[in-house]
Amino acid sequence: INAEYGDPPPAIHNTRSDALVGGKKKNIDMYQAMQGTGGNTKNSKKEDPLKILDPSSKKLVTVESQRIMAVLDDSITKIRLVTLLPTITPHLDRYAHILTADMMSILKEHYELELLFSKVFRLQEEEESQAHTSSAKRGGLDGEPEKMSYESLCQYRSQLQQQIRHSTRSIVRLFSRNHSMLDAVLKQVNERPPAASSLISTMNNLRGIVMERLLTTREEEEERGNYIHQIIQREAKAAIEVKKLDGLLQEASDDRDAELNKKNTEIKKLKSDLAQLQRTSNEVNKRIKSDSHKQEATDVKTSDGKCDRLKQSIAQLRQQLAQAVSEHRQSEQGLRSRKIKTESALETWIAKYDTDMGERQDEYEQIEAVYKIEKQQLEDLEERFAVLEEEYNKIMEERRIAAERKAEEERRMRLLTKAAVVIQAHWRSFATRKKLKSKKKGKKGKKGKSKRK
C-alpha cells in the first residue's frame, strides 16, 4: 500500500518511547546509573533502559491489523490528495501534462462549484450583517444568487455542499484508479494550507501510534506498565528528597533573614553614632573658627612690626647693591675679553664638529639603510609569528575546553558514585535489620515450644 500511494510510513519504533515515558527520563537515567554501579556485575554490557518500551515484533502478523493499517494509509493518501485540490484547480494548465482529459473536466467543474460556493457564502454573510433584511431579494433557487433571499441562499448553499462532496468523491475515485497519475500529483504538488499540513502530520502521528499498539502484545503492555510504575515510585522518593532539601533551604533563608535583621540594627546604630559625631564636629568647627580669628589679629600686629624691620633692611641692601654694581662693572670688562677669546675657540671647534658630523652623517645613512632592510625582515617575521600565535591560542583554548569538560564529567561521576554508595548503604542496613527481626522471631518460637514440653 505504501509503495502504491507514494510516501512511506514514518519511522515510529524508536520515537514512541519518549512520548510514553514523558517527564520520567530523569528517573530512567537515575535507574541506569544505579544498575551500572550496583553490586550485580554479571552483565558486563550496558542495556538501554528504554528498550523495554519498544515492541518486540516489527511486522504485523494478523490479517485484522494489516487491514486496519491499510484503511488508515488509504485515508492519509486521500487527505493528502484532497488538501491539494485548492492548489491544483486554479492552475489546471500547469498540471495538464500529468492529468487525463476526464480528470481535467471534473476538476474544472469542481473549481466552478467552489467559486460559486464562495460567492454564495459571501452573499450570505452580507445578508447576516444586514440583520436578515431580505425585502429587496425575493427570488427563488432558479435565479441568480444576487437576487435570492436569505432562506434561498441557505438552501442553495446546502445543495452546493452536496455537489462539492459528490465531486470530491468522484475525483478521489478517478485518482485511485490511476495510481501513476496519483503518484505524479503527490510528488509535484506540495503547496497546502497550514491547517491541512497540520492535519496530515497528526494523521501520520496517529498511524505511528496505531502501528505501535498493534505490534504490542498484552505481556509487553503489562511489562511496560510495571516498568513505568517502578519509575513513578523512584520519582516519588526523589520528590521526598526534594522536599527535605526545600526544608533545609527554608531554614538557611530564615538564618540569612535573621542575620540581615541583625546587620540592619547595627547599621541604624552606626547611623545614629554618625549623626552624633557630626553634631560634635560642628561644635568643634565653631570653636576652631573663633580661635583662628583671635590668632589672625595677633598675627597682623606681629606682621606690622616685621614690615618696619624689613624696610630698614631694604635700605641697607640698596646701599650694598650700589657698591656691588661698581665692583661688578670692573669684573665685567675682564669677562668680555675672555668671552671674545672663547668665541674664537668655539668657532674653531664648530668647524671641526661640522667635518666630523658630515662623516658621521654618511655613516648614519649607511646604517639606516641596513636598519630598513632588517626592519622589513622583522615585520615579515612578526606577521608569521602572529599567525602562529593565533593557532597556538586556538589550540590552548581547545585544550582548556577539553580540560573543563573532563573535570565536569569527573565531578558528575563522583556525584553518581556517591549517590550509589549512599543507596547501597541504606539497602544493606535495611536488609540487616530485616534479618535481625527474622532471627528474633525464630528465637521466640523456640522458647515457646520448650515451655510447652
Side-chain angles (χ1 to χ4, degrees):
I1 292 170
N2 295 326
E4 182 178 359
Y5 288 110
D7 295 341
I12 50 90
H13 304 297
N14 296 326
T15 58
R16 294 293 97 193
S17 301
D18 294 337
L20 290 171
V21 177
K24 309 300 187 297
K25 195 165 188 303
K26 182 177 179 182
N27 294 323
I28 293 173
D29 294 337
M30 185 184 297
Y31 173 77
Q32 185 177 5
M34 291 170 61
Q35 294 295 327
T37 57
N40 188 9
T41 58
K42 293 181 180 180
N43 297 326
S44 60
K45 295 182 180 179
K46 293 183 179 179
E47 297 181 355
D48 186 7
L50 297 178
K51 190 176 180 181
I52 193 173
L53 300 177
D54 295 334
S56 59
S57 178
K58 303 299 180 183
K59 295 183 180 179
L60 297 175
V61 180
T62 62
V63 178
E64 290 81 2
S65 61
Q66 293 177 0
R67 288 176 179 174
I68 291 171
M69 293 307 300
V71 170
L72 189 57
D73 289 335
D74 186 49
S75 300
I76 293 172
T77 305
K78 289 179 180 179
I79 291 171
R80 292 175 60 203
L81 176 62
V82 171
T83 53
L84 291 176
L85 292 179
T87 305
I88 296 173
T89 52
H91 310 286
L92 291 175
D93 296 336
R94 186 187 302 173
Y95 307 105
H97 62 285
I98 60 175
L99 300 175
T100 61
D102 296 337
M103 183 60 68
M104 291 284 289
S105 61
I106 292 176
L107 289 174
K108 286 180 181 178
E109 294 176 0
H110 184 78
Y111 183 57
E112 291 175 356
L113 288 173
E114 286 181 345
L115 293 178
L116 187 57
F117 180 80
S118 300
K119 185 177 180 180
V120 171
F121 184 74
R122 186 180 66 255
L123 292 172
Q124 190 176 3
E125 286 184 345
E126 291 178 357
E127 287 290 329
E128 289 178 355
S129 63
Q130 295 175 3
H132 305 289
T133 56
S134 58
S135 60
K137 299 177 181 180
R138 299 294 182 181
L141 295 176
D142 297 332
E144 296 181 357
E146 289 82 356
K147 298 180 181 180
M148 293 181 183
S149 62
Y150 181 78
E151 291 78 7
S152 300
L153 285 173
C154 293
Q155 296 177 6
Y156 191 46
R157 177 183 173 183
S158 62
Q159 291 179 5
L160 288 176
Q161 287 177 347
Q162 292 294 331
Q163 292 177 6
I164 290 172
R165 289 194 188 97
H166 291 305
S167 177
T168 304
R169 290 173 183 170
S170 301
I171 291 169
V172 172
R173 290 193 190 99
L174 284 178
F175 271 109
S176 62
R177 293 171 187 170
N178 193 341
H179 298 305
S180 60
M181 181 172 62
L182 176 62
D183 294 338
V185 169
L186 292 177
K187 289 179 180 178
Q188 294 188 15
V189 184
N190 294 320
E191 297 180 1
R192 291 187 180 89
S197 300
S198 177
L199 175 62
I200 293 171
S201 177
T202 305
M203 291 297 293
N204 287 327
N205 293 333
L206 177 62
R207 184 192 184 283
I209 295 171
V210 172
M211 173 67 80
E212 187 172 3
R213 292 288 295 175
L214 293 175
L215 290 174
T216 305
T217 62
R218 185 181 297 276
E219 292 78 8
E220 292 176 349
E221 190 71 25
E222 292 177 356
E223 186 177 1
R224 183 184 299 174
N226 294 330
Y227 183 71
I228 294 175
H229 181 67
Q230 293 177 2
I231 292 173
I232 292 171
Q233 288 180 348
R234 292 191 184 94
E235 186 181 8
K237 293 180 181 178
I240 294 171
E241 294 295 331
V242 170
K243 188 175 181 181
K244 291 180 180 178
L245 292 175
D246 288 337
L248 295 175
L249 179 61
Q250 184 64 32
E251 291 178 359
S253 62
D254 293 337
D255 295 338
R256 186 193 62 183
D257 293 338
E259 186 177 357
L260 287 176
N261 292 330
K262 184 178 179 181
K263 289 184 178 180
N264 289 330
T265 305
E266 292 179 356
I267 289 170
K268 290 180 180 178
K269 184 178 179 182
L270 291 173
K271 285 183 178 179
S272 63
D273 294 340
L274 182 61
Q276 182 66 29
L277 182 62
Q278 189 172 4
R279 288 193 295 269
T280 306
S281 64
N282 292 331
E283 294 176 358
V284 171
N285 288 332
K286 290 179 180 178
R287 288 198 299 270
I288 290 171
K289 285 182 180 180
S290 62
D291 294 339
S292 64
H293 288 309
K294 294 177 181 179
Q295 185 67 31
E296 184 180 1
T298 305
D299 293 338
V300 168
K301 292 179 181 180
T302 306
S303 65
D304 292 338
K306 288 183 179 179
C307 287
D308 295 335
R309 289 193 297 272
L310 290 173
K311 287 178 181 179
Q312 294 176 1
S313 62
I314 288 170
Q316 294 176 359
L317 291 174
R318 283 178 179 175
Q319 293 177 359
Q320 295 175 3
L321 177 62
Q323 292 177 359
V325 166
S326 62
E327 293 175 357
H328 291 163
R329 283 178 181 174
Q330 294 176 0
S331 63
E332 183 180 359
Q333 292 177 356
L335 291 172
R336 284 183 179 178
S337 61
R338 186 178 176 182
K339 178 184 175 183
I340 292 169
K341 293 179 181 179
T342 304
E343 288 177 352
S344 61
L346 181 60
E347 288 175 356
T348 304
W349 282 105
I350 289 172
K352 186 177 180 181
Y353 171 80
D354 291 337
T355 55
D356 291 340
M357 289 304 295
E359 295 174 355
R360 294 190 179 184
Q361 181 67 28
D362 297 334
E363 184 180 358
Y364 169 77
E365 291 176 353
Q366 294 176 0
I367 294 171
E368 186 177 11
V370 176
Y371 168 75
K372 289 181 179 179
I373 295 170
E374 291 179 353
K375 184 178 181 182
Q376 184 63 33
Q377 294 176 356
L378 178 61
E379 290 176 353
D380 295 337
L381 292 174
E382 286 179 350
E383 291 178 356
R384 296 178 184 175
F385 177 75
V387 175
L388 293 175
E389 186 179 7
E390 185 177 357
E391 294 178 355
Y392 172 77
N393 291 333
K394 289 182 180 178
I395 292 169
M396 293 304 293
E397 182 64 18
E398 291 175 355
R399 289 180 180 177
R400 185 186 64 79
I401 293 171
E404 291 178 355
R405 190 178 300 141
K406 183 178 180 181
E408 180 63 21
E409 291 177 356
E410 291 178 355
R411 186 187 67 79
R412 185 173 178 271
M413 184 56 67
R414 286 196 299 271
L415 289 175
L416 292 175
T417 304
K418 186 178 178 181
V421 170
V422 173
I423 292 171
Q424 290 175 0
H426 282 290
W427 173 252
R428 291 192 189 99
S429 63
F430 173 75
T432 304
R433 288 193 298 271
K434 190 174 182 181
K435 288 180 181 179
L436 292 173
K437 288 181 180 180
S438 62
K439 287 181 179 180
K440 289 180 180 179
K441 288 181 180 179
K443 290 180 180 179
K444 289 181 180 179
K446 289 180 180 179
K447 288 181 180 179
K449 288 180 180 180
S450 62
K451 288 181 180 179
R452 288 175 185 175
K453 289 179 180 180

